[in-house]
Amino acid sequence: MARIAVGRSIPRVDADEKLRGAAKYLDDNRLPDCLYGVTVRSTIAYGTVKSIEFDPCCPWKDTVIARAVDIPGENCVAAIEADQPLLAPGRVMHPMEPILLVAHPDRNMVWQAPRHVKITYEEMEPVLSIEDSLSAKQLLRGQDNVFKSYLIEKGDIKKGFAAAEYIVEGEYRTPPQEHAYIEPHAMAAWVEKNGTIVVMGSMQCPYYVQKALKRIFPGGNIRVIQAVTGGAFGGKEDYPSMLAGHAALLAVKSRRPVKMLYDRAEDMAATTKRHPSVVRHRTGLTKDGKLVAQDIDVVFDGGAYLTLSPVVLSRGTLHAAGPYECPHVRVRSRAVATNTPPNGAFRGFGAPQTLFAVEAHWEKIAAETGLDPLKLRRKNLVKEGSCLATGQVLRESVGATEVLERCVKDSAYEKKRRRYAVLNKKPGPVWKGIGLALVHHGPGFTGSGEVMLASRAAVSLDRAGVVWVLAATTEMGQGEITVLTQIVAETLGLDPALVRVAAPDTDRVPDSGPTVASRTTMIIGGILMKAALKLKDKVALELGSFPTTAKGLECAGRRLAAKGEISFEGVYEKPPDIQWDENAYKGDAYGVYGYEAIAVDLEVDRTTYEVKVKAAFTATDVGRAVHPAMVRGQIAGGTVQGLGWALIENPVFSKGSMANNQFTNYTIPTFTDAPSLTLEIVEKPYSRGPFGAKGIGELPHNAPAPAVVAAVRNATGLLIPDLPVLPEKICHEFIRKKGRTQ
Amino acid sequence: MRGIPASMKVFKAGSPAQALKLLADHPLAVPIAGGTDFMVAWNMGLLNEKSVLDLSGIREWTRVEETPSGLRAGALATHAELRDHPVVRRRFPLLAQACASVGSVQIQNRGTIGGNIANASPAGDTFPALAVYDARVSVAGRDGMRSIPFVDSFAGVKKTILGQAELISAVDIPFPSAKPDRQVFRKVGTRTSQAISKTVAAGLLWLGKGGIVKEMRFSLGSMAPTVRRLRAAEGYLAGRRLTPDVVDTAAQLLAKDVSPIDDFRSTAEYRLEVSRNILRSFLAPN
């Protein structure tokens, strides 16, 4: 069927404003009489505040200071729990923890203030690593420092190992990762004449912010507006609740508008990172490489407070066994406390860490058994009817085989793997390597998460004949305004130019849940389709048919919306056959999965051990590409971001604090680091997704890192099991093995 | 941004004489040329309440000219100008390559050779090239000009030997007496562009009859508080044939002139090993 909007790469709705520089990011909004707020933060990892002194040399009369005692409600940033204080009340749990706030009318001068606040501490021995936390010598949380643990069991691993010809063990580590969105955190707050507290800022989840502020300002009316947001990647899921609380507290105290704008150094040192991980595998295989047992132990470093760690860990746990079928599986996982800033959401949300381990482990298995990693994957990958570790049976839209075979063909993987092995024995300036990974990703909230969110979104027609999309879903650069426009336009049979997406504002749009978890196209798109159909039926009922021209809509608007817009809401409804048992961790963890295979073709310099990725080939099953150009954009971006994590992003922590909190020394890929990309879209439609679509935002970040490790092994013979695969690690490995390298 | 413009005083010099006078009157003023290092410090608020001496308007110091004995690059010549200059490309290709490896194209367009030297970072990308070309730095002071060997112009990390009232006016690079038989420039950064060096190397080699080394010059950056010439290895190689044992010994001697450290960007072990690899493959190419 020919489509008007879906499946076509229409111009991005927000492109014009952004290209002209007309889009208003938070700081572009002028707020008369505004103050600028900064945060005075802890300089120690763990201890108690003994005293706070304000240097009398500083002109404090021009400033407004807010402390924990100024908080009218609870001193917390409510998320899953409320254990994180808005301002440290006396006990300091991590470096860069907010202690008090200072506001000043001069945005540059205000930075002077923190230097004139002298805080003395009684320091305690901090817990700075996963190992220290697990040893529980110092207790930060409960009796074991464990925020959350999960257990998945399928079959009986004892039986599985008993039947195994080979048993292979491995340990894999991943570092924190910085989101490096273009726009650092930014938030403004003011109090309206009627007492409403308004916050506006760079964020992913306006209703999360509202929920958090209701605990801080009980009984108050809270309105949250998303400003144009310059990137997020998960980094603006939970932290904006903290920053909004700070800005609002200063605004309430000063009775003036307050802006808080982090600079890069503060943003990198104070805000969330991807959870560091240690994952151990013990795997049993038959003689011909069939999986018979997977015993997997996962530990994530949650940082000092619980924040989102239980759900990040959940996704990591549910993806830990990879897109493979194995009769006997046990996954045990824990998120533990350390005295570092809380780790948070980051594209992939725990899955890149555990998928890195399971995929890199194929190389270890190959090394120990002599079996080929591609054949091993072919033998074990999931197909329609396969049963995952949670007992979930995959009923439809399983593109694992297609993406793997497409990628292997496009990249000439098998030919290159053989050719490079010969080439690398001859002299030359580089060693060449190619490596594979096959990954999956469940879009939408885990388990019964979508049921609990009960997301709502609406489509309306106003008096002027404009069709509005009303959702709290936020545009952060990923293209959701365009995709939702396409889905609603297609449903109504309209030119996309006749549909507009309202800016997220809790006074105007319903709670569509957070903009996370690759859920927007699939879940919110689906809800909007239902809402649009209701509008279509209503208009058709009144007017005989639904108009498809601007004139016709104007006419319909005049007749039907004279007294105000007519609006129809859709609500998430769980498909009846999706079943999840939260206690047993059994059942349909996700409604469906997306699949991606990648081949990374690279060179390792024989003189410097620098790794240069020459080309990456991906094949990705997205169900249905609503906007093919933006789907490719997501895959390209996720691939390069994943390569950065795999190879060059090296966060250095010193006493719990990020020491290289600047782009000079925390190096993310530049354009010149990006390889040539061949991106294939595979479409295995999902019956519950709008027009067959599955979520795509996070999946591409899961794949590159293990493929890099495999390619480096192909090039050098070395299996580097901890990211990033720095030239230093390759060099040290060679020195350890041979004493000298050339 | 943590820089407070209102707290800073800017003096703008239109000529060398005026610059020296202003510096004499305001000895604590921070000179600014292209501003690529200055702005980073400014953004962090490190230059608040300081005065600034703006040199960017001194036309005399922007010239790049060929002299009978070599090249004279004014202190305000940008990396981009040197990178593209025909004489630099023909006679000092290692300097052209070094300039092309500095930061990004934007940084190359703004950053100056004099500013690069004055900033005295241990990782200055042009430094090993200037060191092997035996460049000299012209320094203007109240008592006139003096010329110092480039390799001796640094006192330590971020420190030059310039007096308080002195400014760099030019860099003089003499033509080598003969075309080198081999040359190398190699920057090893944290990524392919916009990177600070983990190690950066430049080397020139002249061979005589029978493959006897007439002269070898080799210099490393990011391997010590200041850029270093490998005096021990250079002295050892002169008059020797490049046998595997000789190359090995030279690579071992490399350590005599450097003292690499562990930092954010790399490790001492890696820096040493890779610098040795670069020297080895320069002396004994496959």
Side-chain angles (χ1 to χ4, degrees):
Chain A
M1 191 177 94
R3 300 208 188 275
I4 305 168
V6 164
R8 298 176 53 193
S9 297
I10 64 167
R12 279 184 68 128
V13 174
D14 53 342
D16 180 69
E17 259 200 341
K18 284 177 176 166
L19 288 172
R20 286 187 294 110
K24 281 192 164 185
Y25 294 83
L26 191 268
D27 197 25
D28 298 322
N29 292 281
R30 290 203 180 160
L31 300 176
D33 205 26
C34 144
L35 300 178
Y36 292 87
V38 296
T39 314
V40 176
R41 299 176 179 281
S42 61
T43 53
I44 63 159
Y46 189 35
T48 47
V49 173
K50 298 311 286 180
S51 67
I52 302 178
E53 282 170 51
F54 295 86
D55 178 355
C57 301
C58 185
W60 294 107
K61 64 176 173 33
D62 298 333
T63 65
V64 175
I65 294 166
R67 305 193 222 198
V69 293
D70 296 310
I71 298 168
E74 289 173 69
N75 182 6
C76 72
V77 184
I80 293 171
E81 286 187 9
D83 65 326
Q84 185 177 27
L86 185 67
L87 292 170
R91 190 180 64 158
V92 166
M93 290 297 289
H94 64 84
M96 299 298 282
E97 184 162 10
I99 292 176
L100 57 91
L101 308 163
V102 183
H104 187 277
D106 186 311
R107 65 188 302 161
N108 302 113
M109 289 294 281
V110 69
W111 288 106
Q112 301 286 80
R115 293 197 291 137
H116 295 284
V117 181
K118 194 173 175 332
I119 302 175
T120 58
Y121 303 93
E122 191 172 309
E123 285 193 62
M124 293 191 272
E125 189 62 35
V127 176
L128 299 176
S129 69
I130 284 177
E131 285 73 16
D132 281 355
S133 182
L134 287 174
S135 79
K137 273 184 224 145
Q138 181 80 277
L139 283 179
L140 306 180
R141 165 105 185 176
Q143 289 311 302
D144 54 5
N145 285 333
V146 175
F147 283 126
K148 183 77 186 177
S149 63
Y150 298 102
L151 170 67
I152 297 176
E153 278 185 302
K154 178 190 178 190
D156 178 352
I157 53 164
K158 269 192 204 137
K159 272 190 205 156
F161 283 117
E165 171 80 16
Y166 303 112
I167 295 176
V168 181
E169 293 183 30
E171 182 182 292
Y172 305 89
R173 286 170 182 266
T174 65
Q177 185 181 21
E178 162 60 28
H179 305 83
Y181 28 66
I182 288 178
E183 182 201 25
H185 279 278
M187 195 69 66
W190 61 90
V191 183
E192 299 273 345
K193 282 205 181 78
N194 67 5
T196 299
I197 297 171
V198 184
V199 298
M200 179 196 254
S202 187
M203 65 179 76
Q204 289 176 238
C205 314
Y207 276 94
Y208 276 7
V209 173
Q210 190 189 48
K211 185 181 150 198
L213 290 185
K214 280 180 175 168
R215 300 274 289 262
I216 299 163
F217 304 98
N221 196 17
I222 312 278
R223 180 180 174 194
V224 181
I225 303 166
Q226 185 218 9
V228 175
T229 295
F233 305 108
K236 292 170 185 171
E237 177 169 350
D238 67 336
Y239 202 86
S241 300
M242 165 82 82
L243 190 52
H246 289 166
L249 191 63
L250 281 169
V252 166
K253 184 145 187 204
S254 66
R255 312 306 292 178
R256 286 168 72 171
V258 172
K259 270 187 186 176
M260 294 191 74
L261 309 161
Y262 286 4
D263 66 3
R264 188 62 65 180
E266 179 174 30
D267 192 293
M268 285 175 94
T271 74
T272 62
K273 304 274 171 289
R274 180 184 298 287
H275 287 69
S277 74
V278 181
V279 180
R280 289 188 191 86
H281 274 258
R282 184 162 184 262
T283 308
L285 303 105
T286 61
K287 199 171 179 186
D288 60 348
K290 192 96 183 128
L291 284 172
V292 284
Q294 285 176 293
D295 191 10
I296 305 166
D297 180 65
V298 177
V299 191
F300 283 3
D301 177 351
Y305 296 107
L306 179 122
T307 62
L308 295 169
S309 288
V311 277
V312 174
L313 182 69
S314 163
R315 185 172 282 275
T317 308
L318 289 165
H319 286 79
Y324 304 103
E325 190 170 25
C326 177
H328 307 285
V329 185
R330 179 172 71 174
V331 185
R332 291 175 296 178
S333 67
R334 287 166 288 179
V336 299
T338 59
N339 293 112
T340 57
N343 292 306
F346 195 139
R347 194 180 204 168
F349 210 68
Q353 290 94 316
T354 55
L355 284 166
F356 168 69
V358 70
E359 285 301 288
H361 193 51
W362 285 126
E363 292 295 318
K364 186 90 189 285
I365 292 169
E368 293 194 8
T369 64
L371 298 167
D372 175 74
L374 171 58
K375 285 185 189 143
L376 285 166
R377 287 187 176 91
R378 280 177 174 150
K379 201 168 273 288
N380 293 292
L381 55 70
V382 289
K383 303 179 178 74
E384 242 170 69
S386 290
C387 178
L388 299 179
T390 57
Q392 174 171 15
V393 175
L394 299 173
R395 285 178 287 262
E396 59 166 327
S397 185
V398 185
T401 302
E402 284 85 344
V403 298
L404 180 64
E405 297 308 330
R406 190 72 165 266
C407 170
V408 165
K409 186 160 172 275
D410 284 353
S411 62
Y413 169 83
E414 290 169 287
K415 203 176 100 195
K416 281 181 185 162
R417 189 104 171 169
R418 282 194 302 272
R419 194 156 58 87
Y420 292 168
V422 177
L423 215 68
N424 290 336
K425 292 200 180 96
K426 298 176 184 164
V430 297
W431 295 291
K432 287 173 185 277
I434 188 165
L436 267 187
L438 174 68
V439 297
H440 63 325
H441 199 90
F445 262 38
T446 296
S448 33
E450 289 296 344
V451 176
M452 292 194 282
L453 279 176
S455 297
R456 296 176 292 129
V459 177
S460 74
L461 177 72
D462 73 8
R463 229 176 344 187
V466 175
V467 173
W468 286 96
V469 174
L470 303 167
T473 309
T474 51
E475 176 68 56
M476 51 185 126
Q478 85 280 38
E480 66 89 27
I481 297 179
T482 309
V483 166
L484 297 186
T485 299
Q486 286 176 285
I487 289 172
V488 169
E490 189 70 54
T491 308
L492 296 175
L494 292 177
D495 182 327
L498 299 171
V499 176
R500 275 190 230 164
V501 178
D505 173 343
T506 54
D507 268 12
R508 170 131 204 242
V509 300
D511 185 354
S512 322
T515 307
V516 303
S518 310
R519 64 190 291 274
T520 297
T521 302
M522 193 174 101
I523 304 284
I524 308 305
I527 296 170
L528 283 168
M529 242 179 116
K530 281 190 270 181
L533 285 173
K534 286 187 205 166
L535 174 73
K536 193 176 182 180
D537 288 350
K538 169 75 178 168
V539 173
L541 185 73
E542 298 284 333
L543 305 178
S545 69
F546 189 86
T548 53
T549 61
K551 258 218 154 78
L553 280 174
E554 243 182 84
C555 205
R558 256 201 319 274
R559 283 186 54 186
L560 300 177
K563 290 183 190 142
E565 59 181 27
I566 52 167
S567 184
F568 293 89
E569 208 171 75
V571 183
Y572 176 77
E573 288 164 51
K574 183 180 82 72
D577 54 335
I578 292 185
Q579 297 297 338
W580 174 252
D581 181 341
E582 181 71 28
N583 293 319
Y585 247 57
K586 282 200 185 309
D588 300 307
Y590 302 92
V592 73
Y593 296 85
Y595 299 87
E596 180 172 288
I598 191 170
V600 170
D601 192 352
L602 53 74
E603 293 175 355
V604 181
D605 192 291
R606 297 194 192 190
T607 307
T608 65
Y609 318 108
E610 290 168 292
V611 179
K612 173 77 186 159
V613 178
K614 304 299 281 185
F617 303 83
T618 61
T620 312
D621 167 21
V622 304
R624 171 79 169 155
V626 174
H627 191 294
M630 289 200 305
V631 166
R632 285 204 180 81
Q634 285 284 359
I635 299 168
T639 301
V640 176
Q641 199 167 33
L643 289 172
W645 185 51
L647 284 165
I648 58 174
E649 297 184 28
N650 186 30
V652 179
F653 277 73
S654 167
K655 293 177 186 153
S657 187
M658 189 182 186
N660 55 344
N661 56 327
Q662 37 167 318
F663 282 149
T664 321
N665 287 320
Y666 182 84
T667 45
I668 60 171
T670 67
F671 197 79
T672 55
D673 296 287
S676 129
L677 296 170
T678 306
L679 315 170
E680 290 283 356
I681 294 174
V682 173
E683 295 185 316
K684 298 273 282 182
Y686 172 44
S687 63
R688 270 71 182 255
F691 305 96
K694 303 190 276 194
I696 176 62
E698 298 171 284
L699 173 61
H701 200 305
N702 294 350
V708 163
V709 166
V712 168
R713 176 171 168 256
N714 182 219
T716 63
L718 302 173
L719 179 63
I720 310 283
D722 57 329
L723 300 183
V725 184
L726 296 172
E728 283 77 3
K729 289 183 190 166
I730 299 173
C731 175
H732 297 171
E733 243 347 80
F734 272 129
I735 291 175
R736 201 179 58 78
K737 274 188 138 171
K738 300 179 192 167
R740 220 198 72 188
T741 53
Q742 251 193 355
Chain B
M1 284 182 290
R2 303 186 186 193
I4 305 172
S7 77
M8 299 162 78
K9 211 166 192 173
V10 180
F11 304 104
K12 192 164 173 60
S15 69
Q18 205 183 356
L20 292 168
K21 171 81 170 60
L22 283 167
L23 192 58
D25 294 346
H26 309 280
L28 295 178
V30 182
I32 175 172
T36 54
D37 285 303
F38 181 96
M39 291 307 293
V40 175
W42 186 84
N43 190 35
M44 291 163 89
L46 301 177
L47 298 173
N48 289 336
E49 282 151 48
K50 295 211 167 155
S51 45
V52 178
L53 176 59
D54 179 6
L55 306 173
S56 63
I58 304 175
R59 300 272 306 269
E60 288 92 321
W61 287 356
T62 61
R63 264 181 238 124
V64 181
E65 53 194 0
E66 193 175 351
T67 66
S69 60
L71 186 87
R72 163 159 271 233
L76 298 176
T78 64
H79 294 105
E81 284 162 349
L82 293 170
R83 177 195 70 204
D84 296 338
H85 197 280
V87 175
V88 178
R89 295 178 80 91
R90 202 169 60 245
R91 305 297 296 274
F92 306 106
L94 304 183
L95 181 60
Q97 286 178 55
C99 288
S101 78
V102 170
S104 59
V105 169
Q106 293 91 326
I107 297 289
Q108 290 164 24
N109 286 341
R110 290 288 314 173
T112 65
I113 190 81
N116 199 206
I117 297 169
N119 192 53
S121 157
D125 287 324
T126 59
F127 296 176
L130 292 172
V132 294
Y133 286 129
D134 283 338
R136 298 182 72 84
V137 178
S138 283
V139 177
R142 267 180 298 181
D143 309 325
M145 306 287 288
R146 63 182 180 125
S147 169
I148 49 177
F150 168 75
V151 284
D152 298 334
S153 53
F154 303 107
V157 174
K158 294 259 172 188
K159 280 198 193 82
T160 65
I161 60 159
L162 264 63
Q164 213 168 46
E166 289 185 318
L167 292 164
I168 296 170
S169 62
V171 180
D172 291 298
I173 317 170
F175 291 132
S177 51
K179 201 169 182 289
D181 295 288
R182 274 184 223 161
Q183 50 194 338
V184 68
F185 172 80
R186 187 80 195 246
K187 170 176 172 169
V188 183
T190 48
R191 60 183 161 198
T192 52
S193 60
Q194 302 225 50
I196 300 175
S197 294
K198 295 172 178 179
T199 177
V200 52
L204 297 170
L205 179 70
W206 290 268
L207 294 171
K209 264 187 201 144
I212 299 277
V213 173
K214 269 200 217 152
E215 187 181 2
M216 202 273 300
R217 298 182 196 164
F218 206 90
S219 174
L220 291 168
S222 290
M223 292 289 288
T226 66
V227 66
R228 290 293 159 85
R229 279 280 291 268
L230 301 186
R231 301 292 183 193
E234 290 178 1
Y236 167 76
L237 285 172
R240 286 194 157 82
R241 202 172 276 116
L242 293 171
T243 63
D245 283 352
V246 166
V247 170
D248 262 357
T249 306
Q252 290 314 308
L253 286 172
L254 178 149
K256 294 241 180 216
D257 287 289
V258 294
S259 49
I261 56 165
D262 290 345
D263 65 8
F264 293 156
R265 286 184 284 277
S266 193
T267 63
E269 187 183 32
Y270 174 84
R271 287 179 154 121
L272 196 58
E273 182 72 10
V274 165
S275 300
R276 280 180 168 147
N277 287 351
I278 295 170
L279 178 62
R280 271 193 208 105
S281 54
F282 174 58
L283 296 175
N286 289 316

